[in-house]
Amino acid sequence: MKTFESCFGKLAYESMAHVFHFKCEQGMELSISNYGATITALRIPDREGKLIDIVAGFDNLKDYQNSDFYFGASIGRYANRIANGSFTIDGKTYQLEKNEKRTQLHGGEDGFHRKLWDATLFKNPDNTILKLQYLSPDQEAGFPGNLKATITFTIWDTNSFAIDYEAETDQATHVNFSNHSYFNLSGFTEDAGSHELAVDAFGYLELNSNQLPTGKMIETPGTVFDFYKLTLLSERNIPNNYPLDYCFVIDKTDSSKDPDAILYHPKTGIKLRIFTTQPGIQVYSSNFLDGSMTGHQGVSYQKHSAICLETQHFPDSPNQPEFPSTLLLPGEKYHQQTRYFFETN
Ligand code: BGC
């Protein structure tokens, strides 16, 4: 694997953001910045061997600083929404910073996606590792506890990579990390509807009008949200009449080695298989993209032009006692992993 580093741009206090580039033997090219622990570019060969840009991203730091779309970013401390931007632990209520009218979304205005992470590179015989670390101080965005966060990207020459999310705290707190890459396996020549999607999920979480879970899971078998088999999204009229922005409940009872999600583009032949330890996956058909941002190769990212597959714990878990817990206590280690495998067929 070939690896090189380039400067991305200067932040406040003269600190410099970098991008780490990985060129794999089987063709994958992955770029990751320590600004926001962000996947800034991902290229995969199509059937003809031509490299296709399959994630939304920018070539310069300024555009990331000016964008509210979280392109490729690591999300923390808490992915998705927390009702009223608040939760209670041991009788003490914490008011988080809100960045939506009634909720906190993706860790607040200045969440992990806007932090500069310390980067260390390890070159091993079998893989290359980029370890990114950030110490989130007590009360940052309102969250309790000093939180030591580590996000590790492990990259293999076989067109695959893993993201490991780890954290430790010195006070009880809630954590839920994710990655917010916008995938388009046609290279943004066709929209989300031209993709085939499979999600190994038996249900999705019902939402209220503030896009918060009601606590109820709706079963998917036999409905338009049944993605047990690879399904062409346009055939389901998704994303036109059913824009996707739901947390699917991954079938963890399924002991098969099948992926938790698959995204495929019939024209380029590029297939992404995702495996995760997380209980949920937020499938989001980029409903809020509006063409206002132009990225790699002059592409202007339009509504429904990509699909995000954000593996994570369930939204608003701190306020939903029935959901799997996101509480992290001192002395405990938070660890989640998501693996991404690409092939072309
Ligand atoms: C959420 C959307 C939100 C978007 C912002 C997604 O993860 O599910 O509701 O608008 O992120 O980019």
Side-chain angles (χ1 to χ4, degrees), residues 191-251:
D191 73 1
S194 66
H195 290 72
E196 292 179 14
L197 175 71
V199 185
D200 192 15
F202 49 78
Y204 67 96
L205 301 179
E206 184 184 65
L207 298 179
N208 68 18
S209 57
N210 293 324
Q211 286 183 281
L212 286 161
T214 60
K216 193 176 150 200
M217 188 195 77
I218 300 180
E219 290 186 8
T220 47
T223 72
V224 285
F225 295 123
D226 179 341
F227 290 109
Y228 268 119
K229 290 198 185 116
L230 264 183
T231 305
L232 184 66
L233 289 176
S234 61
E235 264 177 19
R236 287 280 175 83
N237 214 354
I238 297 169
N240 296 324
N241 287 347
Y242 308 107
L244 287 168
D245 194 1
Y246 290 99
C247 185
F248 285 77
V249 179
I250 296 174
D251 189 351

Side-chain angles (χ1 to χ4, degrees), residues 266-281:
K267 220 180 217 170
T268 57
I270 297 174
K271 183 184 273 183
L272 163 61
R273 291 179 300 130
I274 293 179
F275 297 80
T276 188
T277 57
Q278 306 247 42
I281 181 161

Side-chain angles (χ1 to χ4, degrees), residues 68-70 80-81 100 105-106 180 182 211 245 282 284 288 310 312:
D68 285 324
F69 296 121
Y70 309 90
N80 211 281
R81 296 183 170 84
E100 291 189 321
L105 173 66
H106 295 333
H180 207 303
Y182 288 73
Q211 286 183 281
D245 194 1
Q282 184 78 16
Y284 171 59
F288 295 107
E310 303 157 60
Q312 57 187 246

